[in-house]
Amino acid sequence: MAKVLHSAPRYATNDGVRDTLVSALGDIAVDAREEFGEISITVKREGIEDALRLLRDEHDYQQLMEIAGADYPSRPERFEVVYMLLSLTKNHRIMVKLSTDEATPVPTVTTLWPVAGWLEREVFDMYGVTFDGNTDLRRILTDYGFEGHPFRKDFPLTGYTELRYSEEEKRVVYEPVELAQDFRSFDFTSPWEGADYVLPGDEKADAPPVDEPKTTGSPKQTGAGAKADEKAAKTVSAGSPAEKETGTKDAGAPEATENQPDREPSKGDVHDTKGATEPEDKE
C-alpha cells in the first residue's frame, strides 16, 4: 500500500497513553478520563509538583502551555486548577487537574517552569486560589487594591466600586458604583392611553385657540369667479417663434375628445381586430 503524504504534522494517538501515565503516577493519580479526544488526569493536590516533574522528565511533556481555573461552588473543594501540558517530540497534549478550596494553597510549579509564575498569578487574581512557594503572587489583570475575584460564581456582576482617571487629581480614583440606567423609572404607558407627563411635541397642543379663524368658503375670499376667469383668458406673452417665422397662427389646443365627431368607417380590405387577436375556435 502506497504511503500518503499530508501537510499536517504527525501526532501521537491516545492509544495506551492514559494507562501508561496512570501506572507511572501511581498513588498520586486519583482519576483519569479520555473525553472528546483528550486525556485528563486528576492528581492529589500535594503531589502536583512531583506529578508534573515525572511527566516532563520521563514522558516528554516538555512545555507547560497554560494554567486555568474553574469554580464549582456546590463542591466541598470548589476550585479546580488545570495544567495543560504539550509534548513537542510526540505532538501530544494532556490535562492534569487538582481540586482545592478557598483556604488551602496549591504547591507552586515555578520550580519546574518559570512561566508558571504569571499563570499562577492569573488564577489567583481571577479565582482567589493561592499557590504556596510563589514568591511574587500579586494580581495581574485587575487593578491594585481590587477587592474580590471576578471569575467566582458568587462574585456580584456589578461589583462594588468603579474606577476612573481624574484629570483634576491626575490619578485613578475609586467611586461607588452608580447604576443610573438600571434604576430609571419606566411607566410603559401608551401615549394613546394618556401619560402623566407631557410627551415631546404635545406642548404645542396647549396653544390658545384662534379667536376668528380664517375661512375660504366664498368666491370673495378665494378670489375665484367670472372676473378671474376673464383675466386668465387674456394673452399676456407675444406669439411663439413659429408663428412669427411662418405667419401661421397657432391653431390652439385640440377640441375635447367628447366633442369630436366619430371616425368614418374604414374602406377597403382590412383585418378585423378581433379576428387578428383572438384564436379561432377549433373543434
Side-chain angles (χ1 to χ4, degrees):
M1 184 176 180
K3 294 183 178 180
V4 179
L5 299 179
H6 199 281
S7 59
R10 296 180 60 186
Y11 64 94
T13 65
N14 291 338
D15 296 342
V17 176
R18 181 183 62 175
D19 296 337
T20 301
L21 297 181
V22 170
S23 177
L25 292 172
D27 296 338
I28 301 177
V30 177
D31 185 25
R33 298 182 180 182
E34 182 176 344
E35 297 176 328
F36 309 107
E38 296 179 334
I39 294 177
S40 173
I41 302 175
T42 304
V43 300
K44 296 179 180 179
R45 179 176 55 251
E46 59 274 9
I48 183 62
E49 183 179 2
D50 295 334
L52 296 185
R53 179 182 289 108
L54 185 145
L55 295 173
R56 184 194 67 175
D57 297 343
E58 299 185 16
H59 296 273
D60 300 329
Y61 289 93
Q62 300 95 345
Q63 286 195 356
L64 173 66
M65 302 303 297
E66 178 64 281
I67 301 178
D71 184 15
Y72 302 92
S74 59
R75 298 180 182 179
E77 294 186 342
R78 60 183 293 184
F79 300 115
E80 274 191 358
V81 183
V82 185
Y83 301 80
M84 316 288 190
L85 303 182
L86 168 65
S87 172
L88 297 175
T89 54
K90 300 176 183 177
N91 195 13
H92 192 263
R93 298 173 185 266
I94 61 172
M95 293 187 297
V96 181
K97 300 180 180 181
L98 61 85
S99 299
T100 188
D101 54 25
E102 302 179 17
T104 308
V106 177
T108 183
V109 294
T110 53
T111 54
L112 305 177
W113 293 282
V115 70
W118 280 33
L119 301 177
E120 290 175 353
R121 285 177 59 185
E122 183 176 353
V123 176
F124 162 72
D125 195 0
M126 296 292 102
Y127 293 94
V129 177
T130 57
F131 293 88
D132 186 19
N134 190 319
T135 58
D136 190 24
L137 197 62
R138 296 175 293 126
R139 292 186 180 273
I140 192 173
L141 296 177
T142 57
D143 189 63
Y144 296 107
F146 185 87
E147 296 182 3
H149 303 280
F151 280 4
R152 287 190 177 185
K153 295 291 181 62
D154 54 2
F155 183 79
L157 297 180
T158 59
Y160 300 104
T161 59
E162 60 184 1
L163 58 91
R164 64 177 179 86
Y165 180 77
S166 174
E167 188 65 31
E168 299 177 356
E169 302 183 25
K170 302 296 181 182
R171 66 181 183 88
V172 176
V173 296
Y174 289 82
E175 298 173 339
V177 173
E178 295 182 2
L179 302 177
Q181 181 67 23
D182 292 347
F183 292 100
R184 287 176 59 187
S185 59
F186 297 93
D187 55 14
F188 299 103
T189 303
S190 171
W192 289 272
E193 297 174 0
D196 297 335
Y197 52 88
V198 179
L199 295 173
D202 285 357
E203 65 276 1
K204 300 177 182 178
D206 296 334
V210 179
D211 296 336
E212 296 181 359
K214 184 178 181 180
T215 61
T216 57
S218 65
K220 183 179 179 181
Q221 294 170 332
T222 60
K227 293 184 179 180
D229 295 342
E230 183 181 352
K231 184 177 180 180
K234 293 181 180 181
T235 302
V236 179
S237 59
S240 63
E243 292 182 18
K244 295 180 180 180
E245 295 177 2
T246 61
T248 304
K249 188 177 181 180
D250 187 7
E255 295 182 8
T257 305
E258 59 270 13
N259 297 333
Q260 293 184 358
D262 296 338
R263 279 186 176 184
E264 295 182 2
S266 301
K267 298 179 180 180
D269 187 11
V270 296
H271 296 283
D272 185 56
T273 304
K274 181 177 180 181
T277 58
E278 294 183 4
E280 296 180 358
D281 295 335
K282 296 182 179 180
E283 295 181 357

